[in-house]
Amino acid sequence: KKVTGKDDVFARDDVLGMITCCPTNLGTGMRGSVHIVIPKLIAKIGLEGIDAIAREMQCQVRGSSGEHSEVVDRVDISNWRRLGFPEYELVHDMVKCVNKVSQMEDELE
């Protein structure tokens, strides 16, 4: 307010919606995520290996307590793309990735 002299503290666009400090929040900026318990896969290929698989499927993997958190037996899988895609595609990316990772965990002994 001090800088702009306006009562509104956020920029607003009729198409993009509210514009905040993070560009990934423009438009829908949707991030859906699933926490999944996959201790055998983590032990076998680690977070980096799982993330590499997820990236090929338009997703990303983080520790279950957020970015750069320790990974013990579970991870957070979310859609990597945010802008310019319909929400159903982003959710579909995440579901496909979670199913693939779950299948890989189930196939390990």
Side-chain angles (χ1 to χ4, degrees):
K1 186 173 178 177
K2 290 179 183 178
V3 174
T4 64
K6 297 181 180 181
D7 290 333
D8 295 333
V9 292
F10 294 104
R12 184 182 178 290
D13 183 272
D14 289 337
V15 175
L16 299 175
M18 299 300 286
I19 300 173
T20 63
C21 61
C22 180
T24 61
N25 290 329
L26 290 173
T28 62
M30 191 203 85
R31 178 185 181 272
S33 70
V34 171
H35 286 204
I36 183 171
V37 178
I38 49 171
K40 295 179 282 187
L41 195 57
I42 291 168
K44 182 168 183 168
I45 64 174
L47 178 68
E48 294 78 17
I50 300 165
D51 188 51
I53 292 164
R55 295 288 175 156
E56 292 175 3
M57 302 181 78
Q58 307 300 331
C59 289
Q60 63 186 15
V61 177
R62 302 176 178 183
S64 60
S65 297
E67 277 187 281
H68 313 295
S69 64
E70 182 181 5
V71 175
V72 179
D73 65 346
R74 70 195 69 223
V75 296
D76 174 308
I77 297 177
S78 63
N79 55 296
W80 182 58
R81 304 180 301 173
R82 303 282 200 273
L83 300 175
F85 301 94
E87 291 87 346
Y88 69 88
E89 282 186 27
L90 302 179
V91 171
H92 187 66
D93 288 345
M94 184 185 59
V95 169
K96 284 191 316 185
C97 184
V98 168
N99 286 339
K100 170 75 173 175
V101 169
S102 177
Q103 178 185 6
M104 292 173 71
E105 172 76 8
D106 290 345
E107 291 172 353
L108 292 174
E109 299 211 14

